[in-house]
Amino acid sequence: MNDSLQSETNHQLSMELDPPFNESHATAEDWRKALHKVVPAVVVLRTTACRAFDTESAGASHATGFVVDKRRGIILTNRHVVKPGPVTAEAMFVNREEIPVYPIYRDPVHDFGFFRYDPGAVKFLSYEEIPLAPEAASVGLEIKVVGNDSGEKISILAGTLARLDRDAPFYKKDGYNDFNTFYIQAASGTKGGSSGSPVIDWQGRAVALNAGCNSSSSSAFFFPLERIVRALTFLQKGRDSCEDKWEAVTIPRGTIQATFVHKGFDDTRRLGLQSETEELVRHASPPSETGMLVVDSVVPGGPAYDHLEPGDVLVRMNGEVVTQFLKMETLLDDSVGKNVELEFERGGTSLTVQLVVEDLHSITPNYFLEVSGAVIHPLSYQQARNFRFNCGLVYVSDPGYMLYRAGVPRHAIIKRLADKDTSNLEDFVDVLSKLSRGARVPLEYINYKDRHRKKSVLVTVDRHEWYASPQIYTRDDTSGIWIRKPALPSSSQLISSGITQVPNGVASMDTSSSEHVLEVSNNKDASADGMVIAEVEDSTSPGDHDTLADSSNASVAERVIEPTLVMFSVHVPSSCMVDGVHAQHFVGTGVIIFHSEEMGLVAVDKNTVAVSASDVRLSFAAFPIEIPGEVAFLHPVHNYALIAYDPSLLGPAGNLVVRAAQLLPEPALRRGESVCLVGLNKSLQATSRKSVVTNPCAALKISSADSPRYRATNMEVIELDTDFGSMFSGVLTDEHGRVKAIWGSFSTQIKYGSSSSEDHHFTRGIHVHSISQVLNKIISGAKGQSFLINGIKRPMPLVRVLEVEFYCTLLSKARSFGLSNNWIQALVKKDPVRRQVLRVKCCLAGSKAENLLEQGDMVLAINRKPVTCFNDVEEACHALDVSDDMDTKLVFTIFRQGREMEVEVGTDIRDGNGTTRVINWCGCLVQDPHPEVRALGFLPKEGHGVYVARWSSGSPVHRYGLYSQQWIVEVNGKPTPDLDAFVNVTKEIEDGEFVRVRTVHLNGKPRVLTLKQDLHYWPTWELRFDPETATWHRRIIKSLETGDSL
């Protein structure tokens, strides 16, 4: 941890008398003997904070500790190493013996804590405990810091103690800071990893505990040992009172919730301290005393609130003159639950007050609520002091997903939920238990950065089972783990599954029965009334647009198309960030392409709806309402998705004004043709402009991202002379408001050099031809898997694709490669505008085209018909749909290395569901390789394997380095070619077992690593989309509670 660069002027100019310099006569041999004894007792601590809690974030780190009691198995280190929240840790001795350690105590205020271990587990090392000698610390003492500095196994840094009365270092304004204590300072230059190192003298005694540093000045800050010795004594007595195991030990700690600082007598005189009082204090204190304790801050609602104020100078406590932190804390710790009398001066006036000493542990949270990935617990004394709020308020340590969607930040204090006051966590849980899945309720919170204004947001309870049901975790220092139990009663609607829509757009829970599910057969006339097929002039009435654009200012196209536009707000849960999706929140504009009493469909680009595992909210330009949507179809190739909504949620008034746009796929746009670009601004107001098509068939070129994700390939897009910028999406219409194209957003990466890149977005026109085809199949009844939309099962179309990426080459260049004049003339005759030939860029690994088509092949014809553009290839694939034979092949005429040849290539059938299954194992998301991974042209020869899409902070994979962008091909020597095989292998592994994992990176580099499974904090679970219910369901595969796999 780094100290703040802020420094007090009075410290820089301090002239107080330090204790006399103690000359050291230690020789090099003395130090060698001391280090020989100390080094074996120093351990490297590898810790994993499994959840964000209080002042600490979830994550993995390494630090140092040292044995202070060999017989009982006690290791001393820092509080920020032991962590205030859930932690798993191992200690590694100098001989590379690694043993598990468990937290037994972390001080609520000061930066020290203890781990315990089993002494019998250390079998091959001879070591001794390091004695603690707080009295040996003195200015001028030569010391050495022995620890794990900057990740090194053992590092020894020398230094000299310079100060014993340094203020506690200030690390950050919203994190852990020590206070009400002095620190020891030395110039030893410690860095990360050395936290918890012993500061030893030449006799091998620990004289202080390394805690932090100021990297800019190479100053190290050591915590004095007096309070540590007291706590250790309590732990030792507690251990001795138990026969065969550790029991939680209570160490009395008292507080009046006030922070003091030590100021010199010159400062206290300026604060109004009377001369008589200064004389009294000097006579009652040692000659070396140079100042007094002054109130720096008081926590609201604490014992000292309204009694003490900043600037008050403490004189006596319980009749004793107190000028040192140690004496003050000793008196408080010995008076928990009792009154203490404080005598102090305020501006020269003597005052006396009786205060109740509060139990410091009672305002230090030892439990938290986990809901939708959020960690919520009572506000701790540490953060209450940082933020100046009352202890015990409902504090957001990690917003998770549900609160993140609503815009609630970390460190927020929740005041109300669903119009109910939530003054403590119990109130919050009680309100939560009465909510149902999909419910939208108001939430009020405040933030320390803007403390005087409450903010009100709408929180949407998860409709899908993205996360486990709410859990309460409670710390158990006996076992060293946090015990988990359900936070809500089994009768709570939030526990049950299944979603039913209720009026006003709020979803409530119910278990759906099959009687309410309707089937739609392949009836071509089933829902034709939802399509716009009439002329535009006949389908509108003068009163339709009274609430929309002002007719005097808006164009005809704008007035016609505005009732069809929808603004999207899309969130992706962190528990299901599959397919390389690069963000959790997307916004964009879509257009309604179908609207009937039973179903509404909206088309939008896939840079807005990237994956099917999404929560979609739709806001309509024609009617002020926001309703949920469900991802119905993701085109496997083209950059568009279809989102379904329930028209009944619009109500009668909404359905009067909301309607579908008329699609006009033919005739295709031409260069120089005028179009109207219409979209929505952030205020849901239509914005339009006249534009001219500059290129109606621009071949799209998007390179692969660093982390493979969807990118549009084999697409021709429309370019305009003018638009509204890269973030504006909408539609392109003719002068009558008929949609010729979607103006959609595309994502790419701009790379700088070899190591850095930046996400970039741009907009282009997407022809509606493919959208129209898919829509017709949905309406008429497709051949694909049924999908439940608003209680009605509808077959969704399958798409026949050729899993090959092409690029275009001008015929002039193709001639240079040896292409014959006859073929060039044939291709020019086929398409005199483009004058190009398609070439193979790559075949997707595992596709039917792999090993048949090669990079650089020129595609001249398919089924002996010349092809010149991507659409020709797509039409050839679609022509095979009339056959029931799924293995029908295409005959490619290609030009390869100077020779013309024919190759039969099979096509692949894809649905529009996207990735519908993901496994979370040890904190990493595992899925089947998605198309963009396979587009790299490589799958592991070990049987493909499963792909790691994401990993979580504070998880075992974080601790041991199993990160994303690699395949897992073996677990404990057993192949894992697919998700089923992976589940079968991993469910046999027990909690705490080390697992050997063989991986292959995207660059083809194999690797073997080991990790330890933690089923308590990171159970194995599966998320799977069920098309029969149109919901995502979560299933526990293996956890400590289940004991074995389900």
Side-chain angles (χ1 to χ4, degrees):
M1 301 176 71
N2 295 324
D3 184 36
S4 171
L5 299 180
Q6 300 176 355
S7 59
E8 297 280 337
T9 302
N10 62 308
H11 288 159
Q12 297 174 354
L13 304 178
S14 176
M15 299 180 63
E16 64 260 34
L17 297 176
D18 285 316
F21 178 82
N22 291 334
E23 187 107 26
S24 174
H25 301 287
T27 64
E29 180 63 19
D30 293 332
W31 278 112
R32 188 192 67 80
K33 291 179 180 179
L35 292 172
H36 180 75
K37 180 176 65 173
V38 167
V39 167
V42 178
V43 299
V44 175
L45 292 170
R46 294 172 176 168
T47 62
T48 305
C50 306
R51 300 289 190 275
F53 186 83
D54 195 14
T55 57
E56 307 298 321
S57 301
S61 59
H62 55 263
T64 307
F66 59 98
V67 177
V68 292
D69 192 320
K70 176 181 177 181
R71 181 173 68 85
R72 300 177 181 88
I74 302 177
I75 292 173
L76 171 64
T77 186
N78 292 127
R79 176 192 187 272
H80 69 264
V81 176
V82 176
K83 311 293 185 187
V87 64
T88 59
E90 294 86 31
M92 186 179 69
F93 286 82
V94 69
N95 68 338
R96 309 293 289 192
E97 281 191 78
E98 188 177 66
I99 59 172
V101 295
Y102 304 94
I104 52 175
Y105 181 74
R106 78 287 299 140
D107 194 81
V109 171
H110 300 315
D111 199 6
F112 73 90
F114 297 93
F115 284 108
R116 65 170 173 86
Y117 70 97
D118 179 8
V122 183
K123 302 181 182 300
F124 306 104
L125 179 67
S126 175
Y127 66 98
E128 296 297 332
E129 63 192 46
I130 298 178
L132 304 181
E135 71 284 352
S138 59
V139 172
L141 179 68
E142 292 185 8
I143 51 90
K144 294 191 186 299
V145 182
V146 183
N148 167 34
D149 190 73
S150 297
E152 297 294 334
K153 177 183 172 184
I154 283 293
S155 177
I156 302 173
L157 300 176
T160 303
L161 299 187
R163 292 184 61 183
L164 304 182
D165 59 353
R166 189 200 188 279
D167 284 345
F170 178 81
Y171 297 118
K172 56 193 303 187
K173 62 183 179 182
D174 57 4
Y176 172 73
N177 295 292
D178 207 342
F179 56 94
N180 286 351
T181 183
F182 285 127
Y183 265 65
I184 301 172
Q185 181 174 321
S188 64
T190 58
K191 292 184 173 61
S194 64
S195 293
S197 299
V199 180
I200 65 166
D201 64 4
W202 66 273
Q203 300 180 58
R205 302 176 300 175
V207 299
L209 175 68
N210 186 41
C213 68
N214 186 329
S215 57
S216 62
S217 62
S218 297
S219 296
F221 311 128
F222 308 142
F223 184 75
L225 298 181
E226 287 85 0
R227 308 302 293 165
I228 295 175
V229 170
R230 173 182 180 269
L232 178 60
T233 302
F234 274 99
L235 291 174
Q236 291 169 331
K237 290 179 179 178
R239 179 65 183 91
D240 292 342
S241 65
C242 304
E243 295 182 359
D244 55 350
K245 67 174 184 178
W246 273 95
E247 296 287 348
V249 177
T250 300
I251 299 176
R253 294 286 276 115
T255 181
I256 55 173
Q257 294 194 35
T259 301
F260 292 83
V261 293
H262 189 271
K263 291 186 176 291
F265 286 118
D266 54 333
D267 283 329
T268 58
R269 282 193 294 272
R270 287 193 290 270
L271 289 171
L273 183 69
Q274 301 177 42
S275 300
E276 297 81 3
T277 305
E278 179 180 342
E279 182 178 0
L280 180 150
V281 171
R282 284 184 179 272
H283 284 303
S285 304
S288 59
E289 183 57 73
T290 59
M292 300 174 67
L293 297 180
V294 178
V295 176
D296 182 64
S297 64
V298 179
V299 175
Y305 191 63
D306 289 336
H307 298 288
L308 297 181
E309 296 179 0
D312 290 348
V313 182
L314 179 63
V315 180
R316 292 187 179 93
M317 183 177 288
N318 282 350
E320 299 182 38
V321 173
V322 175
T323 60
Q324 294 287 310
F325 292 113
L326 183 59
K327 187 173 183 179
M328 179 187 70
E329 288 217 327
T330 300
L331 289 170
L332 292 176
D333 290 346
D334 293 339
S335 305
V336 175
K338 304 176 183 177
N339 285 350
V340 292
E341 183 181 78
L342 272 68
E343 298 178 37
F344 58 95
E345 286 196 6
R346 178 181 299 163
T349 302
S350 296
L351 299 171
T352 301
V353 66
Q354 294 276 343
L355 299 179
V356 177
V357 178
E358 193 171 13
D359 182 1
L360 189 50
H361 297 294
S362 69
I363 54 175
T364 302
N366 63 348
Y367 66 101
F368 66 87
L369 167 70
E370 187 172 48
V371 53
S372 187
V375 175
I376 306 171
H377 60 76
L379 184 66
S380 70
Y381 179 34
Q382 278 281 344
Q383 295 292 50
R385 172 182 171 271
N386 287 335
F387 304 153
R388 285 192 49 78
F389 289 130
N390 291 38
C391 292
L393 297 177
V394 182
Y395 170 72
V396 178
S397 183
D398 185 340
Y401 176 60
M402 183 176 73
L403 296 182
Y404 162 79
R405 283 183 66 189
V408 179
R410 189 184 178 201
H411 305 311
I413 304 296
I414 298 176
K415 305 295 288 185
R416 290 174 64 85
L417 177 65
D419 297 322
K420 304 286 186 179
D421 289 333
T422 54
S423 58
N424 53 54
L425 189 60
E426 288 69 25
D427 291 344
F428 183 87
V429 172
D430 182 63
V431 176
L432 188 67
S433 67
K434 296 178 174 61
L435 302 180
S436 58
R437 286 194 176 274
R440 302 197 81 200
V441 295
L443 179 147
E444 287 186 5
Y445 73 92
I446 53 176
N447 189 278
Y448 75 96
K449 295 179 180 179
D450 191 13
R451 59 185 304 113
H452 300 295
R453 287 186 293 183
K454 292 182 181 179
K455 296 178 175 60
S456 181
V457 296
L458 278 175
V459 170
T460 305
V461 181
D462 293 346
R463 302 177 70 239
H464 300 274
E465 297 175 357
W466 303 126
Y467 298 87
S469 58
Q471 304 284 322
I472 291 287
Y473 285 78
T474 305
R475 189 179 72 218
D476 178 22
D477 282 332
T478 298
S479 62
I481 63 174
W482 290 58
I483 307 300
R484 181 176 65 227
K485 67 176 183 180
L488 309 181
S490 57
S491 59
S492 172
Q493 296 185 52
L494 206 56
I495 301 297
S496 56
S497 60
I499 301 175
T500 319
Q501 295 294 340
V502 297
N504 75 10
V506 177
S508 66
M509 290 305 304
D510 191 18
T511 49
S512 299
S513 59
S514 58
E515 290 81 21
H516 302 290
V517 177
L518 302 178
E519 294 280 356
V520 174
S521 62
N522 293 348
N523 181 1
K524 295 186 178 181
D525 298 323
S527 301
D529 59 349
M531 296 187 65
V532 177
I533 56 177
E535 291 296 324
V536 174
E537 291 79 6
D538 296 333
S539 62
T540 62
S541 61
D544 283 344
H545 306 291
D546 291 345
T547 60
L548 302 179
D550 185 353
S551 59
S552 62
N553 297 322
S555 64
V556 173
E558 183 178 326
R559 294 199 307 271
V560 170
I561 205 66
E562 185 176 6
T564 73
L565 296 181
V566 177
M567 181 67 75
F568 279 73
S569 177
V570 183
H571 287 86
V572 182
S574 58
S575 62
C576 207
M577 293 188 70
V578 296
D579 296 354
V581 60
H582 59 288
Q584 279 194 263
H585 186 212
F586 302 90
V587 294
T589 302
V591 59
I592 301 172
I593 60 173
F594 183 85
H595 182 82
S596 69
E597 293 181 358
E598 298 173 343
M599 177 179 69
L601 287 176
V602 186
V604 69
D605 59 75
K606 286 176 66 174
N607 198 32
T608 301
V609 180
V611 293
S612 56
S614 302
D615 282 310
V616 181
R617 302 293 300 182
L618 307 176
S619 298
F620 293 78
F623 190 70
I625 193 172
E626 185 181 44
I627 64 174
E630 293 294 340
V631 181
F633 183 83
L634 288 168
H635 197 282
V637 177
H638 294 311
N639 183 25
Y640 72 86
L642 301 184
I643 310 303
Y645 65 88
D646 185 357
S648 67
L649 298 180
L650 296 174
N655 277 293
L656 284 176
V657 293
V658 171
R659 61 174 179 268
Q662 181 179 0
L663 303 184
L664 191 64
E666 300 293 343
L669 288 171
R670 299 182 304 274
R671 180 180 287 108
E673 186 174 348
S674 294
V675 293
C676 187
L677 170 58
V678 187
L680 297 176
N681 59 23
K682 293 181 179 180
S683 301
L684 288 181
Q685 297 172 340
T687 304
S688 66
R689 76 182 310 160
K690 291 283 188 179
S691 297
V692 175
V693 176
T694 57
N695 189 347
C697 53
L700 198 63
K701 298 178 182 178
I702 299 179
S703 301
S704 296
D706 294 336
S707 178
R709 65 181 189 234
Y710 171 76
R711 60 188 177 93
T713 59
N714 297 345
M715 279 188 67
E716 289 185 341
V717 294
I718 302 165
E719 295 179 344
L720 303 179
D721 60 342
T722 56
D723 56 38
F724 286 108
S726 61
M727 301 306 293
F728 183 88
S729 56
V731 293
L732 300 181
T733 73
D734 64 6
E735 59 183 0
H736 300 295
R738 294 172 295 191
V739 176
K740 305 282 287 184
I742 289 179
W743 190 248
S745 176
F746 294 78
S747 175
T748 184
Q749 277 188 344
I750 299 177
K751 299 188 177 181
Y752 305 97
S754 59
S755 59
S756 62
S757 59
E758 180 179 296
D759 286 333
H760 174 67
H761 304 278
F762 63 93
T763 48
R764 295 291 186 272
I766 304 169
H767 297 277
V768 297
H769 179 73
S770 174
I771 298 175
S772 179
Q773 286 182 331
V774 171
L775 176 61
N776 289 334
K777 291 180 180 180
I778 293 175
I779 294 172
S780 61
K783 297 180 181 179
Q785 186 179 27
S786 294
F787 185 92
L788 188 70
I789 300 179
N790 304 331
I792 301 176
K793 288 184 179 180
R794 297 179 181 272
M796 301 304 289
L798 298 175
V799 180
R800 189 183 295 270
V801 297
L802 185 70
E803 291 195 321
V804 180
E805 185 175 348
F806 297 100
Y807 66 99
C808 303
T809 295
L810 294 176
L811 290 177
S812 58
K813 292 187 179 295
R815 187 188 297 273
S816 301
F817 280 100
L819 185 62
S820 68
N821 187 65
N822 290 338
W823 270 112
I824 290 177
Q825 293 301 321
L827 295 176
V828 170
K829 182 179 179 181
K830 167 70 169 59
D831 191 342
V833 175
R834 292 180 176 84
R835 295 174 177 267
Q836 66 187 20
V837 64
L838 295 182
R839 302 190 71 180
V840 175
K841 181 177 181 180
C842 69
C843 296
L844 271 65
S847 69
K848 294 180 180 179
E850 189 180 25
N851 300 325
L852 295 175
L853 297 178
E854 296 180 2
Q855 184 177 359
D857 286 349
M858 294 184 189
V859 180
L860 308 177
I862 297 179
N863 293 339
R864 296 177 178 83
K865 294 182 179 179
V867 296
T868 60
C869 63
F870 305 129
N871 190 58
D872 291 342
V873 178
E874 191 170 332
E875 291 298 329
C877 292
H878 290 170
L880 299 181
D881 288 340
V882 298
S883 172
D884 292 330
D885 184 5
M886 303 300 286
D887 296 326
T888 304
K889 296 183 179 180
L890 298 173
V891 179
F892 274 67
T893 303
I894 63 173
F895 183 74
R896 177 187 297 169
Q897 297 178 359
R899 294 191 305 117
E900 181 184 325
M901 61 181 69
E902 288 190 348
V903 179
E904 288 190 350
V905 180
T907 56
D908 294 273
I909 306 297
R910 295 287 177 261
D911 58 31
N913 296 334
T915 296
T916 57
R917 186 187 183 192
V918 63
I919 307 294
N920 188 297
W921 177 68
C922 291
C924 69
L925 289 179
V926 179
Q927 66 171 97
D928 287 322
H930 58 91
E932 286 309 312
V933 172
R934 298 192 296 115
L936 300 177
F938 165 75
L939 286 175
K941 63 182 180 180
E942 292 85 350
H944 296 181
V946 294
Y947 182 70
V948 180
R950 215 78 178 179
W951 56 272
S952 301
S953 295
S955 65
V957 297
H958 183 193
R959 157 72 175 80
Y960 293 95
L962 177 57
Y963 299 132
S964 57
Q965 300 182 44
Q966 52 190 323
W967 289 275
I968 298 177
V969 296
E970 286 183 6
V971 175
N972 284 345
K974 298 179 181 179
T976 56
D978 52 42
L979 289 178
D980 288 332
F982 181 80
V983 169
N984 290 333
V985 172
T986 55
K987 71 181 181 181
E988 302 300 326
I989 303 169
E990 299 300 328
D991 179 62
E993 282 190 26
F994 272 95
V995 186
R996 189 175 71 259
V997 182
R998 178 177 173 81
T999 67
V1000 177
H1001 196 269
L1002 286 181
N1003 60 16
K1005 183 178 180 180
R1007 180 188 177 204
V1008 175
L1009 58 86
T1010 59
L1011 60 84
K1012 185 164 71 172
Q1013 181 161 264
D1014 178 3
L1015 291 175
H1016 181 71
Y1017 298 114
W1018 300 97
T1020 305
W1021 48 262
E1022 172 190 65
L1023 268 177
R1024 189 191 288 249
F1025 179 75
D1026 179 9
E1028 295 296 313
T1029 60
T1031 54
W1032 287 80
H1033 293 290
R1034 179 189 179 98
R1035 179 178 71 98
I1036 296 294
I1037 295 174
K1038 192 177 184 68
S1039 69
L1040 281 183
E1041 284 71 17
T1042 60
D1044 51 13
S1045 54
L1046 296 177

Short mmCIF file of all heavy atoms in Angstrom, two decimals, residues 826-845:
data_model
loop_
_atom_site.label_atom_id
_atom_site.label_comp_id
_atom_site.label_asym_id
_atom_site.label_seq_id
_atom_site.Cartn_x
_atom_site.Cartn_y
_atom_site.Cartn_z
N ALA A 826 -16.58 -12.78 -68.15
CA ALA A 826 -17.80 -13.36 -67.60
C ALA A 826 -18.22 -12.65 -66.32
O ALA A 826 -19.41 -12.40 -66.08
CB ALA A 826 -17.62 -14.85 -67.37
N LEU A 827 -17.25 -12.32 -65.47
CA LEU A 827 -17.56 -11.66 -64.20
C LEU A 827 -17.98 -10.22 -64.42
O LEU A 827 -18.86 -9.69 -63.72
CB LEU A 827 -16.36 -11.74 -63.26
CG LEU A 827 -15.96 -13.15 -62.80
CD1 LEU A 827 -14.71 -13.11 -61.94
CD2 LEU A 827 -17.10 -13.80 -62.01
N VAL A 828 -17.38 -9.55 -65.44
CA VAL A 828 -17.78 -8.19 -65.75
C VAL A 828 -19.21 -8.18 -66.29
O VAL A 828 -20.02 -7.30 -65.95
CB VAL A 828 -16.81 -7.56 -66.76
CG1 VAL A 828 -17.37 -6.22 -67.27
CG2 VAL A 828 -15.46 -7.33 -66.13
N LYS A 829 -19.53 -9.16 -67.12
CA LYS A 829 -20.89 -9.25 -67.65
C LYS A 829 -21.90 -9.50 -66.54
O LYS A 829 -23.00 -8.94 -66.54
CB LYS A 829 -20.94 -10.38 -68.68
CG LYS A 829 -22.31 -10.53 -69.34
CD LYS A 829 -22.30 -11.64 -70.37
CE LYS A 829 -23.68 -11.79 -71.01
NZ LYS A 829 -23.70 -12.89 -72.01
N LYS A 830 -21.51 -10.34 -65.56
CA LYS A 830 -22.40 -10.63 -64.43
C LYS A 830 -22.64 -9.38 -63.58
O LYS A 830 -23.75 -9.12 -63.11
CB LYS A 830 -21.79 -11.74 -63.57
CG LYS A 830 -22.42 -11.94 -62.19
CD LYS A 830 -23.81 -12.53 -62.28
CE LYS A 830 -24.32 -12.98 -60.92
NZ LYS A 830 -24.39 -11.92 -59.93
N ASP A 831 -21.59 -8.60 -63.37
CA ASP A 831 -21.71 -7.43 -62.49
C ASP A 831 -20.80 -6.33 -63.01
O ASP A 831 -19.63 -6.23 -62.62
CB ASP A 831 -21.32 -7.81 -61.06
CG ASP A 831 -21.67 -6.71 -60.06
OD1 ASP A 831 -21.90 -5.57 -60.48
OD2 ASP A 831 -21.72 -7.00 -58.85
N PRO A 832 -21.31 -5.50 -63.92
CA PRO A 832 -20.45 -4.45 -64.49
C PRO A 832 -20.13 -3.33 -63.51
O PRO A 832 -19.28 -2.49 -63.81
CB PRO A 832 -21.31 -3.94 -65.67
CG PRO A 832 -22.72 -4.27 -65.30
CD PRO A 832 -22.66 -5.54 -64.50
N VAL A 833 -20.80 -3.28 -62.35
CA VAL A 833 -20.56 -2.20 -61.40
C VAL A 833 -19.38 -2.54 -60.49
O VAL A 833 -18.45 -1.74 -60.32
CB VAL A 833 -21.82 -1.93 -60.57
CG1 VAL A 833 -21.53 -0.89 -59.49
CG2 VAL A 833 -22.95 -1.45 -61.48
N ARG A 834 -19.42 -3.71 -59.88
CA ARG A 834 -18.40 -4.04 -58.88
C ARG A 834 -17.05 -4.37 -59.50
O ARG A 834 -16.01 -4.03 -58.95
CB ARG A 834 -18.88 -5.22 -58.02
CG ARG A 834 -20.06 -4.88 -57.11
CD ARG A 834 -20.48 -6.08 -56.29
NE ARG A 834 -21.53 -5.77 -55.33
CZ ARG A 834 -22.83 -5.76 -55.62
NH1 ARG A 834 -23.22 -6.05 -56.87
NH2 ARG A 834 -23.72 -5.47 -54.70
N ARG A 835 -17.05 -5.13 -60.61
CA ARG A 835 -15.80 -5.50 -61.30
C ARG A 835 -14.79 -6.10 -60.31
O ARG A 835 -13.68 -5.63 -60.16
CB ARG A 835 -15.19 -4.29 -62.00
CG ARG A 835 -16.05 -3.74 -63.12
CD ARG A 835 -15.47 -2.45 -63.69
NE ARG A 835 -16.25 -1.96 -64.80
CZ ARG A 835 -16.02 -2.24 -66.09
NH1 ARG A 835 -14.98 -3.00 -66.41
NH2 ARG A 835 -16.78 -1.76 -67.03
N GLN A 836 -15.23 -7.13 -59.62
CA GLN A 836 -14.41 -7.75 -58.59
C GLN A 836 -14.60 -9.24 -58.58
O GLN A 836 -15.55 -9.77 -59.17
CB GLN A 836 -14.77 -7.18 -57.21
CG GLN A 836 -16.18 -7.55 -56.76
CD GLN A 836 -16.61 -6.86 -55.48
OE1 GLN A 836 -16.04 -5.85 -55.11
NE2 GLN A 836 -17.62 -7.41 -54.82
N VAL A 837 -13.71 -9.92 -57.88
CA VAL A 837 -13.81 -11.36 -57.67
C VAL A 837 -13.65 -11.61 -56.17
O VAL A 837 -12.91 -10.89 -55.48
CB VAL A 837 -12.74 -12.13 -58.48
CG1 VAL A 837 -11.33 -11.77 -58.02
CG2 VAL A 837 -12.95 -13.64 -58.37
N LEU A 838 -14.37 -12.61 -55.66
CA LEU A 838 -14.26 -12.96 -54.25
C LEU A 838 -13.08 -13.89 -54.04
O LEU A 838 -12.85 -14.82 -54.83
CB LEU A 838 -15.54 -13.64 -53.76
CG LEU A 838 -16.82 -12.80 -53.75
CD1 LEU A 838 -17.97 -13.62 -53.19
CD2 LEU A 838 -16.64 -11.53 -52.95
N ARG A 839 -12.37 -13.66 -52.94
CA ARG A 839 -11.24 -14.53 -52.59
C ARG A 839 -11.44 -15.01 -51.15
O ARG A 839 -12.06 -14.33 -50.32
CB ARG A 839 -9.91 -13.80 -52.72
CG ARG A 839 -9.66 -13.25 -54.11
CD ARG A 839 -8.24 -12.75 -54.25
NE ARG A 839 -7.28 -13.85 -54.26
CZ ARG A 839 -5.94 -13.68 -54.38
NH1 ARG A 839 -5.46 -12.44 -54.46
NH2 ARG A 839 -5.14 -14.70 -54.38
N VAL A 840 -10.91 -16.17 -50.87
CA VAL A 840 -11.06 -16.77 -49.54
C VAL A 840 -10.03 -16.15 -48.61
O VAL A 840 -8.82 -16.20 -48.89
CB VAL A 840 -10.87 -18.30 -49.61
CG1 VAL A 840 -10.89 -18.89 -48.20
CG2 VAL A 840 -11.95 -18.93 -50.47
N LYS A 841 -10.51 -15.56 -47.53
CA LYS A 841 -9.60 -15.05 -46.50
C LYS A 841 -9.28 -16.13 -45.49
O LYS A 841 -8.13 -16.32 -45.10
CB LYS A 841 -10.23 -13.85 -45.80
CG LYS A 841 -9.34 -13.23 -44.74
CD LYS A 841 -9.99 -11.99 -44.13
CE LYS A 841 -9.08 -11.36 -43.09
NZ LYS A 841 -9.70 -10.15 -42.49
N CYS A 842 -10.31 -16.86 -45.03
CA CYS A 842 -10.09 -17.96 -44.10
C CYS A 842 -11.36 -18.80 -44.02
O CYS A 842 -12.44 -18.34 -44.37
CB CYS A 842 -9.70 -17.46 -42.71
SG CYS A 842 -11.04 -16.62 -41.84
N CYS A 843 -11.20 -20.03 -43.60
CA CYS A 843 -12.32 -20.91 -43.28
C CYS A 843 -12.38 -21.07 -41.77
O CYS A 843 -11.33 -21.20 -41.11
CB CYS A 843 -12.14 -22.28 -43.93
SG CYS A 843 -12.15 -22.26 -45.73
N LEU A 844 -13.59 -21.04 -41.23
CA LEU A 844 -13.72 -21.22 -39.80
C LEU A 844 -13.28 -22.62 -39.41
O LEU A 844 -13.64 -23.61 -40.10
CB LEU A 844 -15.17 -21.00 -39.36
CG LEU A 844 -15.54 -19.55 -38.99
CD1 LEU A 844 -15.45 -18.64 -40.20
CD2 LEU A 844 -16.92 -19.48 -38.35
N ALA A 845 -12.49 -22.70 -38.37
CA ALA A 845 -12.02 -24.00 -37.91
C ALA A 845 -13.20 -24.87 -37.51
O ALA A 845 -14.14 -24.41 -36.85
CB ALA A 845 -11.07 -23.83 -36.71
#
